[in-house]
Amino acid sequence: MSNVFENKIVIIIDDGMNKGVTANRSAVLMSGLAAKYPAIVGKNHVTRDNISVEGFTQLPVIILTRPEDKTYSDLIKSIRQAGCYHTMFLRRAEGVRSYADYSESISEDNFDELDIDGVVIYGKRKKVDKLTKNLPSLR
């Protein structure tokens, strides 16, 4: 997706979740994004005494909340139409015993039946801004 610095990262998550759940969802979403677009992660650093300090995302990560009148399915359809990348967190991930069980549970549902409660968007800054301009910040 061209130059990393022309892009923007936004996480959309439900308001009202406790801090631990919100942090977990955000971390999981960012791990999926970094796996797909490793260029967003900066290079490692080395201290004067030769200790390696791992790099992390070179872009700010904005966290916004989903308005109650919008569904995640609707948001994702808009994201896809805009040509932006997205990945999502499904609530069922909390209760499954293995990644294989998680994958199997997804294959048993239609997309509109998925229990989405978090999304990360990555794409051209202007497109992401247009998609998220009316969403409130997480407080």
Side-chain angles (χ1 to χ4, degrees):
M1 204 174 264
S2 68
N3 180 350
V4 167
F5 299 106
E6 296 173 359
N7 296 323
K8 187 171 186 173
I9 300 169
V10 173
I11 294 175
I12 302 170
I13 200 139
D14 285 343
D15 198 10
M17 286 191 239
N18 74 46
K19 290 179 185 178
V21 171
T22 298
N24 175 267
R25 302 259 192 301
S26 299
V28 170
L29 289 166
M30 282 304 300
S31 71
L33 179 62
K36 178 76 175 175
Y37 294 100
I40 68 170
V41 177
K43 67 180 179 84
N44 294 345
H45 314 280
V46 179
T47 64
R48 187 177 348 160
D49 54 349
N50 210 28
I51 304 295
S52 181
V53 176
E54 298 294 322
F56 54 83
T57 178
Q58 300 180 80
L59 297 174
V61 179
I62 311 302
I63 303 180
L64 304 175
T65 60
R66 178 184 61 90
E68 291 183 20
D69 64 337
K70 287 205 182 264
T71 67
Y72 279 110
S73 293
D74 290 338
L75 286 169
I76 290 169
K77 286 174 188 168
S78 297
I79 294 165
R80 288 178 174 171
Q81 288 173 348
C84 295
Y85 172 80
H86 77 282
T87 191
M88 56 198 143
F89 187 94
L90 303 182
R91 191 172 304 114
R92 71 187 69 188
E94 291 179 344
V96 294
R97 299 175 67 107
S98 70
Y99 200 77
D101 288 348
Y102 174 72
S103 184
E104 184 178 331
S105 77
I106 293 170
S107 70
E108 295 169 353
D109 286 338
N110 292 318
F111 179 79
D112 287 337
E113 299 169 330
L114 295 176
D115 52 337
I116 304 165
D117 71 356
V119 175
V120 64
I121 307 169
Y122 177 66
K124 294 284 185 198
R125 181 174 306 281
K126 287 183 181 182
K127 289 183 179 184
V128 174
D129 285 343
K130 185 175 181 182
L131 290 165
T132 61
K133 68 182 173 189
N134 295 321
L135 301 180
S137 293
L138 178 68
R139 303 238 178 252

